[in-house]
Every structure is written in C-alpha cells, then in structure tokens.
Amino acid sequence: MNAPVPTTDTSAEAGRVASAAPPRTGSEPTTVGFVVGPMNFVQKLDGAFGFLRLELSAMLLGAVVLVLPPSLLAQVVARQATMFTVLSADLNNDPTGTGVGSGWSALGSVAASLWLSLGTLALGIYAGLLLRARLAGEPVSVRMLLDGTLRRLGGGAGAWALHLVALGFGLLACGVGVLVPMTLLLVIGPVIGVEDAGFRGFTRSASLTQTRFFAILGVVVASTLLTALLSAVPPNVVDLIVELLAGTTLPTGWEWIPKAAAGLLATAAASTVAVSIALTTYVDLRCRREGWDLLSRMADEFPPPNGTAS
C-alpha cells in the first residue's frame, strides 16, 4: 500500500500530543524523490536518481567530505607506489618490477581501498540521516548531517569490519561468491543512518535482505555495473585527451593532475549513485516487510520536530 509522505501530523497518542509539523519552505523539496512504498526493480533505480535530483548538492557535499579524502589518498598512493616499484626494480636488477616495490604497491592499494569503502559506508549513513530528516519535516544542514554521521561511525566501524570479513570469505570461497555478502549487507549504511543501529546494522541488514535475496541480487549487479561505468568513463575520456596532447609544449609530468581530478570526479559520482540505490532498496524492504509506508507507522517513527509532550 502506497501512502504519501506526510507534511503535517495532527495525531494524538497516549501520553503525547503531537502538534502540526511546520510547513515546508520553498527551499525544501516536497517529496523525497520517490514514492515511499514497495518498489520494483525499475522504480528503485528511478527513485535513486529522483532522490539525487532533489538532494544533489547535499549528497555531493557529503561525498566531498566523506569519500573524496580516501579517494585522493588512493590516487597519491598509486602514484607513489608506481615510482617506488620502478626504483625497487632498478635496485634489485629486476626489470619486471615484481620485487619488493610491487608488494608495497599492492599493500598501499589495499589500504587505500579499505579506507575508501569506509568512506562509502559513511556516505550511506549520511544519506539515511538525510532521508530521515526529510520524512520528519525537519530542517537539514550539511553540517548537522556530517556531525550525525561521525557520531554513528563508532558502531558503524564494527559493522563495516564484519562486512569486510564476509566479503573476504565470499571472495575466497568463490570469485562470484562475493555477491552473497554484497547482497545481504547492501543496506548497512541506510540502516545505521535511519535506525541508529550501530554495530547491529550488520545483522539488521542481513535480516531485511535475506527474504528477497535474488531480487536484491539483481539490484546489486545493476548497481555494480552502473557505478563501474561511472567510474570508468571520466578517466578514460581524460586519458584520451592526455594522449592527444602528448608531445606538446606542456611541462613534463603534468598529466597526472587531470587524471587524478577525473578519478576523484568519477568516485564522487559513482558513490552517490550506489548509496542512493541502496537507500531506495532499504525503503522498499521496510515497506514490504514492516508496512513502513503506512501513515500511522511513519508518524510514530518520525514525529514532527515541534511536537510537545503532555
């Protein structure tokens, strides 16, 4: 059953009298970009982009703070590791570059990737807090969302660590086996953001997703392909431009700057899309399993910000 997101609430419950929510100002969206209710595959993807259309500035600012720093580190590590690999190969008379330098290169790449995955989890928490505030009709600021995200990262880091262990087991068991934990744990970020689940976000995500495993698996595959495309297109376009400009009067070594910028842009775009798809999937699961779209349930979980207690 689909119900519109309330902008006011005049309901009264035992021990509490709720006053009407303040009217939305012209600067705030009147919807969250999608219908809060059960969604099919296409509606999840469309809803994710609808959410981004309304919240693009907030989501991009969140990605700049939470995702781009580890992405920038990955760019620096990749550049330094390449230089170290070449130097180590020369020192060890190893022209193939398979000596010590390659080991450090791989270690640096893994460390940067781990931090980047934590940044993506943080962006998922951030998006969950943003959705929660919009549904409650509360005022939203990026600073408030970032503060809330950082406060929840303590417990979220534990869920993230278990997530990594599950991904490792899935990868070791079978290459495509990694899709199992990716599916079961898709909504960890939104769970922590909306429900303040903390460490419990690991089991809560698995509980929500297991009954619709194959439907969500399709979402995971589509999201992975889409984000891979978004991650690849800007760097490839920049690489082509760099090749065309090679041999001109531009200074030596300049090419890493536009390549790094393209990589950062691609990471921001891919992470915001992936997180938005996880968010619509979370809403769909809660509506299907718990009737979260019912007006009474929404009013109970997200009371108006100016409600008074009697």
Side-chain angles (χ1 to χ4, degrees):
M1 171 182 178
N2 294 340
V5 178
T7 58
T8 60
D9 181 15
T10 57
S11 65
E13 295 179 1
R16 183 181 72 194
V17 177
S19 63
R24 297 181 184 275
T25 64
S27 62
E28 294 179 344
T30 56
T31 70
V32 293
F34 53 88
V35 175
V36 178
M39 290 174 270
N40 59 34
F41 176 82
V42 174
Q43 288 171 330
K44 291 188 189 77
L45 300 182
D46 184 63
F49 285 101
F51 178 76
L52 282 179
R53 282 194 296 270
L54 290 177
E55 307 292 354
L56 184 60
S57 60
M59 288 298 293
L60 286 181
L61 285 172
V64 166
V65 176
L66 300 171
V67 178
L68 290 197
S71 179
L72 179 59
L73 175 67
Q75 296 280 351
V76 173
V77 167
R79 177 172 170 78
Q80 297 300 323
T82 300
M83 296 171 60
F84 185 79
T85 299
V86 174
L87 176 61
S88 175
D90 290 340
L91 293 176
N92 291 287
N93 195 23
D94 178 15
T96 62
T98 57
V100 179
S102 295
W104 282 108
S105 176
L107 182 62
S109 297
V110 169
S113 298
L114 292 179
W115 189 17
L116 182 58
S117 69
L118 181 60
T120 304
L121 172 68
L123 186 62
I125 298 173
Y126 177 97
L129 289 172
L130 176 57
L131 176 67
R132 174 176 170 172
R134 291 304 190 198
L135 291 176
E138 297 175 348
V140 175
S141 70
V142 172
R143 180 175 180 179
M144 177 197 74
L145 295 174
L146 290 173
D147 287 345
T149 299
L150 295 177
R151 286 197 304 270
R152 288 163 176 79
L153 267 183
W160 168 75
L162 289 178
H163 181 198
L164 293 180
V165 172
L167 289 175
F169 277 116
L171 189 60
L172 290 175
C174 174
V176 295
V178 74
L179 290 174
V180 175
M182 286 176 65
T183 301
L184 292 175
L185 306 175
L186 175 67
V187 297
I188 282 184
V191 163
I192 296 173
V194 175
E195 304 179 28
D196 294 331
F199 182 79
R200 187 178 59 87
F202 182 89
T203 54
R204 173 64 168 159
S205 177
S207 174
L208 284 173
T209 54
Q210 62 182 350
T211 56
R212 291 186 55 81
F213 178 84
F214 290 103
I216 299 169
L217 176 62
V219 174
V220 168
V221 172
S223 175
T224 301
L225 293 175
L226 182 58
T227 54
L229 181 63
L230 290 173
S231 299
V233 170
N236 286 337
V237 171
V238 170
D239 285 344
L240 178 60
I241 296 174
V242 167
E243 290 295 328
L244 293 175
L245 295 176
T248 63
T249 57
L250 292 172
T252 304
W254 65 274
E255 62 274 2
W256 76 272
I257 298 176
K259 288 182 178 180
L264 293 175
L265 174 64
T267 299
S271 60
T272 53
V273 169
V275 162
S276 298
I277 293 174
L279 188 67
T280 55
T281 302
Y282 165 78
V283 172
D284 168 68
L285 290 170
R286 286 207 62 184
C287 291
R288 289 179 184 275
R289 293 195 50 171
E290 301 170 0
W292 201 45
D293 53 331
L294 299 177
L295 183 61
S296 59
R297 183 64 181 265
M298 296 293 289
D300 180 60
E301 291 198 10
F302 303 108
N306 292 336
T308 58
S310 60

